[in-house]
Amino acid sequence: MSVVTPADRDYRKIPYRHPQPAGMVSDLVLPGVLQAARDPMGGDPRLWVPLTDTVSFRPIQFNVSQGFYVHVMRVTQGGVLSRHRHTGAVHALVLKGRWHYLEHDWVAEEGSYAFEPPGETHTLVVPDDCDEMLTFFLVHGALVYVDPDGVATGYDDVFTRRATAAAHYERVGLGAGFAQTLTR
Ligand code: FE
Protein backbone atom coordinates (compact mmCIF):
# COMPACT_ATOMS: atom_id res chain seq x y z
CA MET A 1 0.00 0.00 0.00
CA SER A 2 1.42 3.33 -1.02
CA VAL A 3 1.49 6.04 1.59
CA VAL A 4 0.78 9.58 0.48
CA THR A 5 2.61 12.17 2.52
CA PRO A 6 2.05 15.93 2.77
CA ALA A 7 4.89 16.35 0.31
CA ASP A 8 3.06 14.43 -2.44
CA ARG A 9 1.10 16.14 -5.18
CA ASP A 10 -2.10 14.18 -4.42
CA TYR A 11 -2.10 14.86 -0.67
CA ARG A 12 -4.72 17.60 -1.05
CA LYS A 13 -7.11 15.13 -2.73
CA ILE A 14 -7.38 12.81 0.27
CA PRO A 15 -10.85 13.11 1.83
CA TYR A 16 -11.14 13.55 5.57
CA ARG A 17 -10.93 9.98 6.86
CA HIS A 18 -12.45 10.03 10.35
CA PRO A 19 -16.02 9.97 11.64
CA GLN A 20 -17.89 13.25 11.96
CA PRO A 21 -18.59 14.34 15.54
CA ALA A 22 -21.21 12.45 17.50
CA GLY A 23 -24.54 14.26 17.54
CA MET A 24 -23.87 16.30 14.42
CA VAL A 25 -27.03 16.92 12.41
CA SER A 26 -27.08 15.71 8.83
CA ASP A 27 -26.48 17.94 5.85
CA LEU A 28 -29.33 19.03 3.61
CA VAL A 29 -29.17 19.35 -0.15
CA LEU A 30 -32.24 20.17 -2.23
CA PRO A 31 -32.28 20.18 -6.02
CA GLY A 32 -34.36 22.62 -8.01
CA VAL A 33 -35.37 25.03 -5.28
CA LEU A 34 -35.72 27.81 -7.84
CA GLN A 35 -38.27 25.91 -9.89
CA ALA A 36 -41.38 27.96 -9.37
CA ALA A 37 -44.90 26.77 -8.77
CA ARG A 38 -45.87 26.87 -12.43
CA ASP A 39 -42.41 26.50 -13.95
CA PRO A 40 -42.76 24.88 -17.41
CA MET A 41 -39.25 23.45 -16.91
CA GLY A 42 -40.52 21.20 -14.16
CA GLY A 43 -40.64 21.09 -10.42
CA ASP A 44 -43.36 19.68 -8.24
CA PRO A 45 -45.91 22.45 -7.61
CA ARG A 46 -46.97 20.66 -4.43
CA LEU A 47 -43.68 21.74 -2.81
CA TRP A 48 -44.95 25.33 -2.77
CA VAL A 49 -47.00 26.07 0.32
CA PRO A 50 -49.83 28.53 -0.37
CA LEU A 51 -50.44 31.29 2.17
CA THR A 52 -53.02 33.10 0.03
CA ASP A 53 -54.13 32.84 -3.61
CA THR A 54 -51.12 34.91 -4.66
CA VAL A 55 -48.49 34.25 -1.97
CA SER A 56 -46.67 30.97 -1.46
CA PHE A 57 -43.36 29.75 -0.12
CA ARG A 58 -41.01 26.91 -0.98
CA PRO A 59 -39.53 25.66 2.30
CA ILE A 60 -35.81 24.94 2.22
CA GLN A 61 -35.02 24.39 5.89
CA PHE A 62 -36.86 24.51 9.18
CA ASN A 63 -34.15 24.90 11.80
CA VAL A 64 -35.86 24.22 15.11
CA SER A 65 -32.61 23.90 17.05
CA GLN A 66 -31.44 27.44 16.24
CA GLY A 67 -34.80 29.06 15.60
CA PHE A 68 -34.56 30.06 11.96
CA TYR A 69 -36.08 29.07 8.65
CA VAL A 70 -35.06 29.36 5.02
CA HIS A 71 -37.46 29.60 2.12
CA VAL A 72 -38.16 31.12 -1.26
CA MET A 73 -41.20 33.37 -1.21
CA ARG A 74 -43.28 33.77 -4.34
CA VAL A 75 -45.81 36.55 -4.88
CA THR A 76 -47.79 36.76 -8.12
CA GLN A 77 -49.73 39.97 -7.57
CA GLY A 78 -48.83 43.42 -6.30
CA GLY A 79 -50.04 44.56 -2.93
CA VAL A 80 -49.22 44.92 0.76
CA LEU A 81 -48.05 41.64 2.27
CA SER A 82 -47.75 42.45 5.96
CA ARG A 83 -46.60 44.92 8.61
CA HIS A 84 -44.30 43.16 11.06
CA ARG A 85 -41.48 43.48 13.57
CA HIS A 86 -38.49 41.12 13.53
CA THR A 87 -37.02 39.61 16.68
CA GLY A 88 -34.05 38.27 14.72
CA ALA A 89 -31.94 39.07 11.69
CA VAL A 90 -33.23 38.45 8.17
CA HIS A 91 -31.15 38.00 5.03
CA ALA A 92 -32.94 38.39 1.69
CA LEU A 93 -31.78 37.85 -1.87
CA VAL A 94 -34.19 38.89 -4.61
CA LEU A 95 -34.31 36.29 -7.38
CA LYS A 96 -37.03 37.86 -9.50
CA GLY A 97 -39.22 40.94 -9.44
CA ARG A 98 -38.96 43.59 -6.73
CA TRP A 99 -40.38 44.79 -3.43
CA HIS A 100 -39.92 47.55 -0.92
CA TYR A 101 -40.89 48.65 2.55
CA LEU A 102 -43.17 51.59 3.25
CA GLU A 103 -40.63 52.67 5.88
CA HIS A 104 -37.66 52.89 3.46
CA ASP A 105 -37.03 54.65 0.18
CA TRP A 106 -34.96 51.85 -1.36
CA VAL A 107 -36.31 49.12 -3.64
CA ALA A 108 -35.00 45.55 -3.52
CA GLU A 109 -34.78 44.44 -7.15
CA GLU A 110 -33.67 41.25 -8.88
CA GLY A 111 -30.15 40.51 -7.66
CA SER A 112 -30.44 42.76 -4.59
CA TYR A 113 -29.43 41.60 -1.12
CA ALA A 114 -31.15 43.09 1.92
CA PHE A 115 -30.38 42.70 5.63
CA GLU A 116 -33.27 43.31 7.97
CA PRO A 117 -31.93 44.05 11.46
CA PRO A 118 -33.47 42.52 14.58
CA GLY A 119 -35.94 44.97 16.09
CA GLU A 120 -37.04 46.61 12.86
CA THR A 121 -40.73 47.05 12.07
CA HIS A 122 -41.66 47.43 8.42
CA THR A 123 -44.41 46.92 5.86
CA LEU A 124 -43.64 44.76 2.84
CA VAL A 125 -45.08 45.85 -0.49
CA VAL A 126 -44.86 44.28 -3.94
CA PRO A 127 -45.57 46.96 -6.57
CA ASP A 128 -48.69 46.59 -8.71
CA ASP A 129 -46.69 46.27 -11.93
CA CYS A 130 -44.77 43.23 -10.63
CA ASP A 131 -46.55 40.01 -11.57
CA GLU A 132 -43.98 37.62 -10.10
CA MET A 133 -41.66 38.18 -7.15
CA LEU A 134 -39.29 35.46 -5.95
CA THR A 135 -37.04 36.09 -2.94
CA PHE A 136 -34.78 33.81 -0.94
CA PHE A 137 -35.19 34.54 2.79
CA LEU A 138 -33.20 33.37 5.81
CA VAL A 139 -35.31 34.42 8.80
CA HIS A 140 -34.11 34.21 12.39
CA GLY A 141 -36.61 34.39 15.21
CA ALA A 142 -40.15 35.60 14.68
CA LEU A 143 -42.14 38.04 12.58
CA VAL A 144 -44.51 39.75 14.98
CA TYR A 145 -47.44 41.16 13.03
CA VAL A 146 -48.36 44.59 14.34
CA ASP A 147 -50.82 47.43 13.84
CA PRO A 148 -49.48 50.85 12.74
CA ASP A 149 -48.68 51.64 16.39
CA GLY A 150 -46.68 48.47 16.91
CA VAL A 151 -49.27 46.57 18.90
CA ALA A 152 -48.84 42.85 18.25
CA THR A 153 -51.64 41.03 16.45
CA GLY A 154 -49.97 37.70 15.71
CA TYR A 155 -46.67 36.09 14.79
CA ASP A 156 -44.89 33.55 12.62
CA ASP A 157 -41.70 31.64 13.34
CA VAL A 158 -40.05 28.38 12.31
CA PHE A 159 -42.69 26.41 14.20
CA THR A 160 -45.75 28.07 12.65
CA ARG A 161 -44.16 27.95 9.20
CA ARG A 162 -43.36 24.29 9.63
CA ALA A 163 -46.88 23.49 10.86
CA THR A 164 -48.37 25.31 7.87
CA ALA A 165 -46.10 23.39 5.51
CA ALA A 166 -46.79 20.04 7.19
CA ALA A 167 -50.56 20.56 6.92
CA HIS A 168 -50.20 21.47 3.24
CA TYR A 169 -47.94 18.50 2.48
CA GLU A 170 -50.40 16.18 4.21
CA ARG A 171 -53.26 17.65 2.17
CA VAL A 172 -51.49 17.27 -1.20
CA GLY A 173 -50.31 13.72 -0.60
CA LEU A 174 -46.63 14.27 0.18
CA GLY A 175 -47.33 13.49 3.83
CA ALA A 176 -46.83 15.67 6.88
CA GLY A 177 -43.50 13.89 7.39
CA PHE A 178 -42.08 15.68 4.38
CA ALA A 179 -41.66 18.81 6.49
CA GLN A 180 -39.56 16.70 8.86
CA THR A 181 -37.08 15.97 6.06
CA LEU A 182 -36.44 19.74 5.88
CA THR A 183 -35.99 20.05 9.65
CA ARG A 184 -32.66 20.33 11.45
FE1 FE B 1 -39.47 41.68 7.17
Side-chain angles (χ1 to χ4, degrees):
M1 188 179 114
S2 66
V3 176
V4 179
T5 73
D8 291 316
R9 202 167 60 88
D10 290 338
Y11 179 76
R12 287 155 56 94
K13 297 179 183 171
I14 303 173
Y16 177 62
R17 50 195 167 192
H18 297 279
Q20 302 295 342
M24 191 188 85
V25 299
S26 56
D27 54 2
L28 177 59
V29 180
L30 304 177
V33 294
L34 297 187
Q35 288 168 338
R38 280 175 282 277
D39 188 338
M41 298 303 290
D44 186 344
R46 297 177 303 170
L47 295 172
W48 290 78
V49 180
L51 292 173
T52 70
D53 285 349
T54 58
V55 180
S56 61
F57 69 98
R58 164 67 157 105
I60 294 175
Q61 183 180 164
F62 299 111
N63 195 299
V64 297
S65 52
Q66 295 182 60
F68 69 83
Y69 58 93
V70 184
H71 67 204
V72 177
M73 176 145 287
R74 181 170 191 252
V75 181
T76 56
Q77 190 178 59
V80 175
L81 268 79
S82 73
R83 182 191 311 106
H84 56 262
R85 176 167 58 240
H86 288 282
T87 68
V90 176
H91 301 266
L93 183 62
V94 184
L95 306 172
K96 187 174 182 185
R98 63 196 176 283
W99 48 267
H100 65 275
Y101 292 121
L102 295 182
E103 295 78 6
H104 291 288
D105 56 12
W106 50 261
V107 177
E109 301 187 290
E110 183 171 320
S112 295
Y113 163 82
F115 169 69
E116 307 180 12
E120 178 162 285
T121 302
H122 50 215
T123 311
L124 177 58
V125 179
V126 173
D128 286 336
D129 61 352
C130 177
D131 56 11
E132 186 177 29
M133 179 278 259
L134 289 169
T135 299
F136 172 96
F137 281 107
L138 162 54
V139 182
H140 292 272
L143 279 75
V144 181
Y145 301 110
V146 297
D147 72 8
D149 298 309
V151 177
T153 58
Y155 74 96
D156 269 309
D157 61 11
V158 61
F159 299 100
T160 65
R161 292 293 194 208
R162 189 171 78 141
T164 300
H168 166 75
Y169 290 144
E170 179 70 19
R171 211 160 36 237
V172 297
L174 289 168
F178 185 75
Q180 188 60 35
T181 69
L182 304 175
T183 301
R184 292 294 183 273

